[in-house]
Amino acid sequence: MTTISLSARELAAQLDRTRMPVHIAIIMDGNGRWAKARGLSVHQGHQAGREALKRTLKACVQLGIKYLTVYAFSTENWRRPSSEVRFLMTLLERTIDEELDELKRNGVRVRVIGRLEEKLPQTLIEKVRRVIEETKHNKKLTFTVALNYGGRAEIIDAVRAVAREAAAGRLDPREITEENFHNFLYTNGTPDPDLVIRTGGEMRLSNFLLWQLAYAEFVSTPIYWPDFDKAELIKAILEYQRRERRFGGRNEMCA
Ligand code: IPE
Ligand code: IPE
Ligand code: MG
């Protein structure tokens, strides 16, 4: 059997524009394996991953996606060799420097979620603050970067804030609901993702957006992150559009 690979344009023609996901989240995985398969260093894998991110962000802007959230560095990624961690931090800093103008031109608002005050290099924190500040009025797409992010850490941070409010007498525990608890999460003000894509073929969340992904459609692709592009993104959206979201209810046909 021959497989015909369709271009991004041909794939885009198949999209149902009335059922586009509002928020896409991506677990960008497979940089290491991509590099290994080519006899390259892990650093080169991450470098190539950065290009894939640029392509994907651009594709989201073109497709009119309102929110894109990417997992860039987890609270568990500190377990990696210190040279790799250092390289990733420097790569992030360089990327902010090089991409800031382009982000502004494209109307992208940048948000960063994670334990920003902990462990990250001061120079990176300052650049992160700058990009957030300088893009805060942009409206076309909200691009959230999960950095030193862990889903459990996020929930713990929210619980601590809720407990502080309650202890100070400003919040009645009986008034805590799923809706207002969301205001204490890093992602407050952002709708939950509709679609979560994981590259690199694994079928796990690896501590990503544990609260927010409760009803997201999960699409896993074997493609390594550095090979991801607009065509792959559209394929994932098409897969999402083939799914039936029930949110625990019953559809008409089975009623
Ligand atoms: C994902 O690629 C990038 C980060 C976690 C920063 P990996 O580096 O995890 O790639 P694999 O999983 O080893 O192939
Ligand atoms: C998830 O990938 C984290 C990021 C993409 C930043 P990992 O490579 O760290 O996840 P595991 O180790 O396979 O669960
Ligand atoms: Mg990995």
Side-chain angles (χ1 to χ4, degrees), residues 50-222:
R50 180 179 92 142
E51 298 311 308
L53 179 55
K54 279 162 62 177
R55 283 197 295 275
T56 305
L57 180 60
K58 197 167 149 211
C60 284
V61 171
Q62 287 167 352
L63 291 167
I65 301 298
K66 295 309 285 180
Y67 297 89
L68 171 68
T69 299
V70 299
Y71 206 3
F73 193 88
S74 77
T75 47
E76 288 73 37
N77 287 146
W78 296 105
R79 294 182 186 142
R80 297 193 177 197
S82 61
S83 60
E84 183 181 349
V85 170
R86 256 198 320 275
F87 181 82
L88 279 167
M89 297 299 153
T90 313
L91 186 64
L92 281 163
E93 285 190 33
R94 254 198 298 129
T95 305
I96 296 175
D97 283 340
E98 290 167 18
E99 300 302 321
L100 182 57
D101 288 341
E102 179 80 5
L103 291 166
K104 286 197 215 163
R105 257 200 307 280
N106 285 315
V108 175
R109 174 169 73 131
V110 178
R111 289 187 74 180
V112 176
I113 55 171
R115 287 198 171 154
L116 261 197
E117 313 302 326
E118 231 170 62
K119 290 187 183 168
L120 295 168
Q122 197 53 38
T123 45
L124 175 59
I125 296 172
E126 280 157 22
K127 286 187 200 293
V128 163
R129 292 227 168 88
R130 175 160 172 234
V131 69
I132 293 171
E133 179 60 29
E134 293 195 19
T135 62
K136 70 179 180 197
H137 297 302
N138 291 346
K139 297 248 160 9
K140 204 160 163 61
L141 179 149
T142 298
F143 174 47
T144 303
V145 181
L147 178 59
N148 193 18
Y149 175 89
R152 288 185 174 177
E154 177 182 36
I155 292 169
I156 292 296
D157 287 349
V159 168
R160 283 182 185 156
V162 167
R164 266 197 307 273
E165 289 299 295
R170 288 191 292 265
L171 181 72
D172 179 346
R174 283 169 305 192
E175 282 166 14
I176 301 169
T177 62
E178 290 185 16
E179 286 72 31
N180 63 28
F181 184 73
H182 190 224
N183 298 336
F184 290 90
L185 294 170
Y186 305 149
T187 52
N188 72 75
T190 303
D192 289 343
D194 304 290
L195 164 64
V196 56
I197 302 167
R198 182 163 186 147
T199 59
E202 311 292 357
M203 301 280 186
R204 54 177 171 257
L205 289 178
S206 300
N207 204 13
F208 189 43
L209 300 175
L210 296 181
W211 176 279
Q212 297 86 342
L213 294 179
Y215 267 104
E217 293 297 329
F218 188 97
V219 171
S220 171
T221 164

